[in-house]
Amino acid sequence: MDRIDAMKVFVAALDAGSLSAAGRRLGRSPAAVSRAIAFLEHHVGTELLHRTTRALKLSEAGERYAFACRRILGELEEADLNAAGERAAPRGTLTLSAPPISGEQILQPIVDAYLDAFPGVSVNLVLLDRPVNLVEEGIDVALRVGELPDSSLVALRVGGDVKRVVVAAPRYLAAHPRIDEPADLLKHRIVTTTHFGHDSWIFPPLAGSAVPRTVHFKPRLVVNSVRAALASAVAGHGVTRLYAYHVAERVRDGSLQILLREAEAAAMPVHLIVPQGRLSVPKVRAFVDFAAPRLRAEFARLSADAGAVGA
């Protein structure tokens, strides 16, 4: 069996989540997929995958091997495309990642338009409430809100006015103490998300101080979903903190009220990030060139809407 082909099957199984799903994606039987992985395991002399009836889980050796496979396959694809010349038409599967709400409301319509414009490309859009490791997880392009750490990734800014706001339902506020400053949150029920601050929220320093104000709390509800936190706040179960565009519609219809306007943190930037070298791949370059201006326009609109409801 060809080892490169077996690597492709191995990575497809990881991306699909099961042998049968990988088989459907590749047009092969589950038995053929299993044989390819067994071939690799025999070649390296150790188990790569722990197989269960419901899922696949990488062994410790499998995690290292999967990283190497993705790197090797990516370099092979780039070599093929470079040999074909810069005018090679975009083709293949483009893997994108984004936060769920941003991905559904902002990125998905752009992806649909991109697919119409480039019929030779298919897209795998992965929506996750966590930062992804682009290289290890095989992501070509990710949409990320927030400051970026130093890295070898290529970053293209597509937005710069996304604010985090504290909100609660008027009926909740009517039955609980006033919230005039961040410290007042300690008297309240906090609904938070795992990526917006599990047990603390940070606010800018007071005038004349350089020390940020950190409010530590014991949340009444922690969820890993923006939609769930939003729904809980709208239902009057507590105070939450989300991006302004998450709550703009609910603020407009009066079901939520923005609090602590004077203590809002600085706006967050939005970037498209790409692994080093991937911009030379036509499908990646075509997507970035296609999506960037559309994302800038959409985030500018959302920022204007969010500013209007809080004015």
Side-chain angles (χ1 to χ4, degrees), residues 9 13 56 142 212 228 262 294 308:
V9 173
L56 301 175
E262 300 302 316
R294 291 166 173 80

Side-chain angles (χ1 to χ4, degrees), residues 14-301:
L14 296 179
D15 291 342
S18 71
L19 301 185
S20 58
R24 288 192 296 272
R25 179 178 295 182
L26 298 171
R28 307 187 189 192
S29 68
V33 174
S34 183
R35 282 196 299 271
I37 295 172
F39 167 80
L40 289 178
E41 290 178 328
H42 177 75
H43 177 78
V44 300
T46 189
E47 185 180 46
L48 300 174
L49 284 175
H50 301 307
R51 301 161 179 80
T52 70
T53 56
R54 293 187 176 182
L56 301 175
K57 184 178 180 181
L58 285 167
S59 66
E60 185 176 342
E63 290 181 359
R64 296 192 298 270
Y65 195 73
F67 176 82
C69 285
R70 293 189 191 278
R71 177 179 55 79
I72 291 167
L73 294 174
E75 289 175 354
L76 283 173
E77 181 184 17
E78 289 180 28
D80 289 344
L81 292 167
N82 287 335
E86 292 183 359
R87 294 187 178 182
R91 58 182 173 83
T93 299
L94 179 73
T95 302
L96 308 174
S97 176
I101 302 296
S102 304
E104 293 173 11
Q105 296 181 355
I106 303 170
L107 191 59
Q108 178 67 55
I110 295 172
V111 169
D112 289 339
Y114 170 79
L115 290 172
D116 289 340
F118 297 94
V121 182
S122 299
V123 169
N124 179 25
L125 178 57
V126 182
L127 303 180
L128 296 170
D129 267 327
R130 63 171 177 82
V132 296
N133 186 309
L134 274 66
V135 176
E136 290 186 7
E137 298 183 55
I139 305 296
D140 293 306
V141 186
L143 179 68
R144 190 160 295 175
V145 180
E147 299 292 343
L148 299 177
D150 291 336
S151 74
S152 61
L153 298 172
V154 177
L156 181 67
R157 189 158 176 159
V158 293
D161 196 22
V162 175
K163 289 189 174 182
R164 290 163 291 181
V165 295
V166 177
V167 295
R171 57 177 161 167
Y172 172 86
L173 295 172
H176 294 84
R178 285 175 56 89
I179 301 176
D180 295 317
E181 58 182 57
D184 292 336
L185 293 169
L186 296 173
K187 308 169 188 175
H188 288 265
R189 299 176 181 174
I190 302 297
V191 176
T192 190
T193 61
T194 50
H195 56 293
F196 270 83
H198 184 276
D199 57 7
S200 64
W201 291 339
I202 299 175
F203 296 87
L206 287 168
S209 172
V211 181
R213 289 171 286 175
T214 301
V215 178
H216 296 277
F217 51 76
K218 184 177 180 181
R220 292 295 304 274
L221 175 64
V222 181
V223 292
N224 65 346
S225 162
V226 167
R227 291 188 189 281
L230 182 61
S232 183
V234 168
H237 295 302
V239 181
T240 194
R241 193 186 203 189
L242 299 169
Y243 290 136
Y245 67 85
H246 291 154
V247 305
E249 181 179 349
R250 291 302 193 174
V251 173
R252 272 195 297 269
D253 68 20
S255 54
L256 286 178
Q257 180 179 329
I258 295 180
L259 310 169
L260 299 175
R261 270 297 191 184
E262 300 302 316
E264 285 181 1
M268 306 285 283
V270 187
H271 293 87
L272 286 177
I273 55 175
V274 184
Q276 191 74 36
R278 293 299 285 170
L279 278 175
S280 63
V281 179
K283 65 184 179 184
V284 177
R285 168 56 71 182
F287 179 78
V288 170
D289 290 346
F290 185 90
R294 291 166 173 80
L295 286 168
R296 291 192 185 102
E298 185 61 11
F299 275 107
R301 183 189 68 80

